[in-house]
Amino acid sequence: TGPYLKLIEDVIQDLVPRYNLKLLVIGARKKYINEVDHELIPWNAKTEVEDLQKIDIGLYPLPNEEWVYGKSGLKAIQFMALGIPVIASAIGANYRVIDHGVNGFLAKNNNEWKNFIKILCNNHSKRKAMGKSAREKVMKKFSVKANRSIYLKVFDKTFKNIN
C-alpha cells in the first residue's frame, strides 16, 4: 500500500518538516513521497508487532475505487489493536472499524488529513486516549475472543455438513 501514500503526499510534505515528524513506512520496497525523508521498514512477520509499535499515529489512506470497498480495514485494526490512533480515508469498512473522533479519524480530503494529523501531533493526551479507545474497540469487536461464538458456529455448521 506504499503507493497510497501518494494520495496524501502534499499533506506529508507539509507536516513532516513543520512538526519534525519521522515517517515510517512498513512493507513498501521504495519511497513514494518525494522531498520528505522517511524510513522504509521491510515487512517481516517476526518483527511486525515490534515495527508497528514504533508508530504514534497510524495513517491509512485509500483511493476511492471499487476494489477498496472489499477491503476489511485490517491495517486500521492492526494499529488500533496496539493502542495507536489511526487516521484513515473515509471509505468502505473504515466506517465500521473507526469511530470518528473517538478512536481515530476518518478523513474525506487533504484538509481533513492535515487537520487530524495536527490535532494528534499537538495533543499527546488526546492521542493516548484515542489509542486506548482504539484498543478497547478491537478487543470488544474484532478479537478472536469477541468473535468466538461466531467461529464456533461456523465450525459446527461446517463439520455437521461433512458428516
Side-chain angles (χ1 to χ4, degrees), residues 98-150:
I98 299 164
D99 301 315
H100 181 73
V102 177
N103 49 38
F105 290 111
L106 295 165
K108 295 177 184 153
N109 56 52
N110 278 1
N111 286 335
E112 288 188 358
W113 275 97
K114 191 177 285 190
N115 183 49
F116 298 146
I117 292 171
K118 285 179 183 179
I119 288 169
L120 293 178
C121 284
N122 289 325
N123 193 330
H124 176 77
S125 60
K126 182 166 191 69
R127 212 170 50 242
K128 288 294 179 192
M130 288 181 95
K132 182 179 180 200
S133 179
R135 174 141 175 90
E136 289 170 358
K137 170 126 188 207
V138 169
M139 297 309 292
K140 185 175 182 178
K141 296 285 185 181
F142 302 108
S143 68
V144 172
K145 184 178 179 180
N147 289 284
R148 180 180 184 267
S149 63
I150 295 168

Side-chain angles (χ1 to χ4, degrees), residues 41-112:
I41 300 173
W43 182 83
N44 181 326
K46 292 179 183 176
T47 63
E48 181 177 25
V49 171
E50 180 183 325
D51 293 338
L52 286 168
Q53 288 174 327
K54 296 174 184 174
I55 296 171
D56 293 313
I57 302 168
L59 303 179
Y60 187 32
L62 291 168
N64 188 2
E65 298 173 353
E66 194 169 313
W67 179 79
V68 169
Y69 297 127
K71 292 181 74 62
S72 67
L74 178 61
K75 279 197 184 2
I77 293 169
Q78 286 179 302
F79 289 132
M80 293 168 67
L82 294 169
I84 301 167
V86 63
I87 304 170
S89 295
I91 192 169
N94 290 343
Y95 282 105
R96 181 176 54 86
V97 174
I98 299 164
D99 301 315
H100 181 73
V102 177
N103 49 38
F105 290 111
L106 295 165
K108 295 177 184 153
N109 56 52
N110 278 1
N111 286 335
E112 288 188 358

